[in-house]
Amino acid sequence: MSILPKTNRRDFIKLAATAGGGLLLGFHWSSAAPASAGVISHVSDLPAGTIDFNSYLSIAPDGVITILSPNPELGQNIKTSFPMIVAEELDADWTKVKVIQAALDTKKFERQVTGGSGAIPHSWERLRKAGATARQMLVEAAAKRWNIPATSLTTDKGYVLDSGNGRKLTYGELATEASAIPVPADVKLKSIKDFKLIGTAIRNVDNQEMITGKPLYGLDFYREGMLFAMIQRPQSFGTKIKSVDAAAAKAMPGIVDVVTFKNNVAIVGKSTWQVNKARKALKVEYEADGAIESTADHDRILKTLLDSKETTIKRKDGDVDAAFKSAAKVITREYQCPFLSHTPMEPMNFFAHVRADGAELIGPTQTPEMARNETAKLLGLAPEQVTVELTRLGGGFGRRLKADYVLEAAELSSIIKAPVKVIWTREDDMTGGSYRPAVRYRFDAALDAQGNLIGYKLRGVGINAGNTTREDNFPSGAVDNLLIETIEHKSPVTTGAWRAPITNFLAFAEQAFLDEVASASGQDPVAFRLNLLNKAKQSPVGAIKYDIDRMKGVIELAAEKSQWGKKKNIAQGFSVYFSHRSYVAQVAEVAMKKGTPVLQKIHAAADCGVVVNLSGANQQVRGGIVDGLGHAFYSNLTFKDGAAEQKNFNTYRLIRMKEIPEIDVHFVKNEISPTGLGEPALPPTGGAVANALFKATGKRLYNQPFIKQEELKGVNLGERM
């Protein structure tokens, strides 16, 4: 099953931009897009005389505007988008804007977190007010200097303009006077139709630094005199240290100490290479400390739990039992997904310097406040005694929501009484958790004699997955009789949020199942979903917690742009999903070539409210699709005797550049406040592709990774698979 026909070098550059997440955010570096803002690495680099207007921005006498971006940047483009919002309301000249990554400061900022696609929705109005407040103060300062009403003045690209008298002043010229103006209690925000910067394509502010290799990431951080450490952790979940023989490791060049703490053995030395070599000389023996599970155990547990009587009901509408008893046709299907590793390109790392009077933390984290608070608790410090400085994150996908690797560095520094940077290898990253949970679903649909959906059941079971469902998502509210349940198995295998938690697989299972139900009812898959949405709008059943019109809007846009049902010799598959407050519909297109299905194109329609940065938004959708496609097809993490069997990319398969299809992205234009985009494009991808493959081959896919499924056996997959 091919993924993509061969491409030329120019296409490869485009795909590199698509798949690279935060590395290449624009296809054409010489395009006419507005110039990228500059970057100042630290507040101490600000020009003399710089005036702070609020927590987010300051203006220097030379007119340079510095905007702080408080949230962690891991490739979602927040370090560019946040300043764009401030600059828009400020009416700044983007070419004179400098961007600084702010350190953790809970007094100045709120929600300094990257996760849940919630940064822009949370900060949208706050950032706009920050820019608008400074703009009003500058206008009032100019009005005072010229002795004219402020209402007669306008602003544009860093100037206050008095058009009636043909004069203007730069923001830099007014900064000192404006800073003395009382901060207005209420400011008027721009009308969205008047935006000049928001909605355009702006290059990532770190582009130049990234492509020239300037230190930006946690792994780049270095301080004279710091030590390096690697940690030997249990390779099998459910085991603990029995004995440690560190004599050989301690005798190796550059090794300062070998420290055992909790269930870890840390090798501390003068360089990464030296500690890595010494760790291989360690002799650590482990013993059982609870259940030790293999993938065969997980498969058995999940199948058994699907029939368990002990379940948690998440939603129940109508009389489900009666609906299924009266049904003319019942469809039952099961779907299962494996554990997955987050595998960010930058493995976990963090610097810590614990002193008697406090602790300094520097590195890549999605949750700096959690890192601070948990470190303070660990060390017996007050939170204000712990500082956290953020580097750019080389990926995260939810892995860096946890603070375990930060606490390792902090605890080790407190033990050795020295500044230390703890570095994980790729093998550490893939064998030490935390993983996407393994989950299994059973769907049941009841149809009446006319093909109407009269009953719907979903039971999800997961391993350390919490709630395996999203009980209020579509088609809830559109079916008269509905039952959604969840069951969890507690396991020593550590799990955590993985990009678009739960919905990353649930969406595939649900959308693949709905296609089968549509087929059984004799309806077109797109029409089937639209009919359900119309029913939910006209006769809602229970709570409706998604926006019916917004979901219909992306369905109709995707169908229009893909020419749904109108192309010859092309098998199209449809999927739509609501997650993280946004809506994305996708159409995948597969053509048969020499008996082999080839995925040629994916059309995507997204409604995320106002698009802040068109370039960043485009890449978020493309990146989500590539991520969803690659993991649906290839990635698989299995366990034997409690140990992860896949330890590096030679055995843990990721998608390759040549396997990425053409991707066509469209956004619904509206004036709804932004509703998140880091995750919503991933969930629909698996379903759209699986449904297209069925259209092309007649074979349904029920489990991931697709490449391992019996339905694909005998198909000439070709080198691209």
Side-chain angles (χ1 to χ4, degrees):
M1 193 171 303
S2 264
I3 289 292
L4 183 69
K6 290 186 177 180
T7 59
N8 58 34
R9 187 174 184 276
R10 184 176 181 183
D11 289 330
F12 177 82
I13 293 172
K14 289 184 180 182
L15 294 179
T18 299
L23 181 58
L24 300 174
L25 292 180
F27 292 162
H28 306 294
W29 294 96
S30 59
S31 70
S36 175
V39 180
I40 298 175
S41 60
H42 199 274
V43 176
S44 61
D45 296 329
L46 291 173
T50 296
I51 303 296
D52 291 331
F53 278 80
N54 50 53
S55 299
Y56 295 95
L57 72 96
S58 60
I59 301 175
D62 61 1
V64 171
I65 298 166
T66 302
I67 301 178
L68 273 68
S69 183
N71 283 41
E73 171 61 72
L74 67 119
Q76 84 282 34
N77 207 47
I78 207 74
K79 192 175 175 182
T80 305
S81 297
F82 266 23
M84 283 180 65
I85 298 169
V86 177
E88 176 66 72
E89 290 290 350
L90 182 61
D91 255 347
D93 180 352
W94 184 252
T95 64
K96 292 186 177 181
V97 169
K98 305 296 181 182
V99 178
I100 294 178
Q101 175 67 64
L104 175 67
D105 191 331
T106 54
K107 293 181 180 178
K108 288 185 176 181
F109 309 111
E110 296 179 16
R111 198 190 181 277
Q112 283 185 271
V113 174
T114 289
S117 298
I120 293 288
H122 172 271
S123 299
W124 170 248
E125 188 171 342
R126 292 171 176 81
L127 294 167
R128 293 182 69 189
K129 285 183 176 178
T133 298
R135 173 167 49 87
Q136 184 168 323
M137 292 167 70
L138 290 160
V139 168
E140 290 181 12
K144 186 175 181 180
R145 182 187 288 195
W146 287 327
N147 196 28
I148 58 176
T151 54
S152 67
L153 303 178
T154 59
T155 57
D156 184 46
K157 291 186 178 180
Y159 287 92
V160 177
L161 308 173
D162 177 13
S163 301
N165 294 297
R167 52 186 174 176
K168 61 183 179 180
L169 289 167
T170 68
Y171 287 175
E173 292 174 300
L174 291 165
T176 301
E177 295 164 65
S179 66
I181 300 288
V183 177
D186 190 30
V187 293
K188 182 179 180 181
L189 301 179
K190 282 185 179 181
S191 172
I192 290 175
K193 66 180 176 59
D194 294 327
F195 284 167
K196 303 169 187 174
L197 192 62
I198 290 176
T200 64
I202 300 294
R203 300 169 189 165
N204 189 304
V205 297
D206 283 336
N207 274 354
Q208 183 67 23
E209 285 68 27
M210 286 188 289
I211 64 175
T212 57
K214 181 178 178 180
L216 287 170
Y217 300 91
L219 282 175
D220 296 326
F221 177 78
Y222 176 78
R223 177 175 293 170
E224 191 68 33
M226 78 178 188
L227 297 173
F228 297 83
M230 287 187 175
I231 295 176
Q232 180 64 50
R233 304 168 188 85
Q235 296 298 294
S236 296
F237 292 94
T239 62
K240 64 180 180 179
I241 294 174
K242 182 178 181 181
S243 64
V244 178
D245 181 353
K250 287 182 177 180
M252 296 181 72
I255 301 306
V256 174
D257 202 356
V258 176
V259 179
T260 299
F261 65 104
K262 294 205 169 79
N263 212 20
N264 301 319
V265 184
I267 300 87
V268 184
K270 297 180 180 179
S271 75
T272 304
W273 177 248
Q274 289 171 322
V275 298
N276 191 35
K277 288 183 67 177
R279 186 170 66 161
K280 295 175 183 178
L282 275 177
K283 295 178 182 178
V284 185
E285 187 179 356
Y286 296 93
E287 61 184 357
D289 186 34
I292 298 178
E293 300 171 349
S294 299
T295 292
D297 299 314
H298 296 150
D299 291 343
R300 173 181 50 78
I301 289 166
L302 290 174
K303 290 177 182 178
T304 300
L305 286 178
L306 273 181
D307 296 318
S308 173
K309 293 182 179 180
E310 295 183 8
T311 182
T312 299
I313 295 175
K314 303 301 294 184
R315 177 164 176 158
K316 187 175 182 180
D317 296 328
D319 190 334
V320 178
D321 290 339
F324 275 84
K325 286 180 181 178
S326 67
K329 183 182 293 185
V330 172
I331 305 158
T332 300
R333 297 291 184 268
E334 293 184 10
Y335 303 80
Q336 185 165 320
C337 69
F339 288 98
L340 291 181
S341 172
H342 294 80
T343 60
M345 291 308 295
E346 179 192 27
M348 301 304 105
N349 66 91
F350 228 81
F351 168 86
H353 186 190
V354 178
R355 309 174 307 273
D357 61 342
E360 178 186 19
L361 303 175
I362 300 175
T365 172
Q366 293 178 242
T367 52
E369 186 175 4
M370 177 193 290
R372 182 194 67 180
N373 292 345
E374 291 195 12
T375 297
K377 183 178 179 181
L378 173 73
L379 301 176
L381 299 171
E384 54 268 24
Q385 290 178 281
V386 181
T387 63
V388 182
E389 187 174 332
L390 298 172
T391 62
R392 189 179 177 96
L393 289 66
F397 311 111
R399 177 61 183 94
R400 288 186 162 97
L401 287 171
K402 291 194 170 185
D404 55 313
Y405 60 101
V406 182
L407 296 178
E408 285 179 346
E411 186 165 8
L412 183 57
S413 177
S414 71
I415 293 171
I416 65 175
K417 310 297 182 186
V420 64
K421 182 165 147 183
V422 171
I423 298 174
W424 292 42
T425 64
R426 175 61 58 201
E427 288 80 5
D428 293 335
D429 187 66
M430 292 188 66
T431 61
S434 144
Y435 307 112
R436 179 187 79 170
V439 177
R440 190 173 181 90
Y441 293 106
R442 177 184 292 155
F443 290 82
D444 298 277
L447 300 176
D448 65 15
Q450 290 73 45
N452 298 310
L453 179 61
I454 59 172
Y456 183 90
K457 292 192 291 187
L458 164 61
R459 172 174 282 200
V461 298
I463 297 174
N464 288 349
N467 178 18
T468 58
T469 73
R470 293 296 179 263
E471 62 273 9
D472 294 321
N473 279 8
F474 177 81
S476 294
V479 185
D480 291 332
N481 307 288
L482 176 142
L483 175 64
I484 297 180
E485 304 168 291
T486 186
I487 306 172
E488 181 181 31
H489 168 69
K490 295 292 186 179
S491 168
V493 177
T494 56
T495 63
W498 191 97
R499 191 175 188 181
I502 298 300
T503 62
N504 54 62
F505 179 79
L506 174 59
F508 151 69
E510 173 204 280
Q511 292 297 305
F513 180 68
L514 286 179
D515 251 44
E516 288 207 58
V517 177
S519 177
S521 70
Q523 297 184 59
D524 171 82
V526 170
F528 177 72
R529 290 167 174 82
L530 288 173
N531 289 337
L532 283 176
L533 287 167
N534 287 334
K535 182 180 183 303
K537 188 163 187 175
Q538 295 163 7
S539 305
V541 182
I544 303 285
K545 296 189 178 181
Y546 52 90
D547 189 306
I548 295 171
D549 291 331
R550 291 182 72 187
M551 183 170 273
K552 287 178 63 177
V554 293
I555 291 174
E556 291 166 351
L557 182 59
E560 173 197 339
K561 296 300 182 181
S562 66
Q563 300 179 57
W564 174 261
K566 298 177 182 178
K567 294 182 178 179
K568 294 183 179 180
N569 302 318
I570 294 291
Q572 293 180 312
F574 184 81
S575 180
V576 62
Y577 211 72
F578 158 64
S579 69
H580 298 87
R581 300 166 294 275
S582 293
Y583 303 78
V584 179
Q586 294 178 21
V587 175
E589 297 184 342
V590 171
M592 297 297 294
K593 295 191 176 181
K594 297 181 180 181
T596 299
V598 179
L599 176 59
Q600 294 187 315
K601 192 171 186 177
I602 295 178
H603 303 268
D607 181 349
C608 58
V610 173
V611 174
V612 176
N613 184 349
L614 188 59
S615 172
N618 193 302
Q619 297 304 326
Q620 283 298 297
V621 174
R622 292 171 181 271
I625 289 172
V626 171
D627 206 8
L629 176 63
H631 284 90
F633 262 102
Y634 306 115
S635 301
N636 188 33
L637 191 76
T638 58
F639 294 87
K640 185 176 181 180
D641 298 328
E645 294 186 283
Q646 294 76 27
K647 296 176 173 59
N648 209 317
F649 293 131
N650 61 323
T651 53
Y652 187 81
R653 178 80 153 83
L654 295 179
I655 195 169
R656 296 163 183 160
M657 290 290 186
K658 60 186 177 182
E659 295 164 344
I660 300 170
E662 181 181 352
I663 299 173
D664 180 36
V665 179
H666 301 274
F667 294 97
V668 174
K669 294 182 179 179
N670 56 41
E671 295 191 358
I672 298 171
S673 295
T675 53
L677 198 56
E679 291 159 289
L682 187 151
T685 305
V689 174
N691 291 335
L693 289 170
F694 170 74
K695 287 279 189 69
T697 67
K699 298 177 181 179
R700 291 281 184 190
L701 296 169
Y702 296 98
N703 301 325
Q704 291 181 4
F706 294 162
I707 199 66
K708 297 284 186 180
Q709 304 315 307
E710 185 66 30
E711 290 81 5
L712 297 185
K713 295 285 178 68
V715 175
N716 180 15
L717 301 179
E719 64 174 0
R720 297 184 186 87
M721 293 292 289

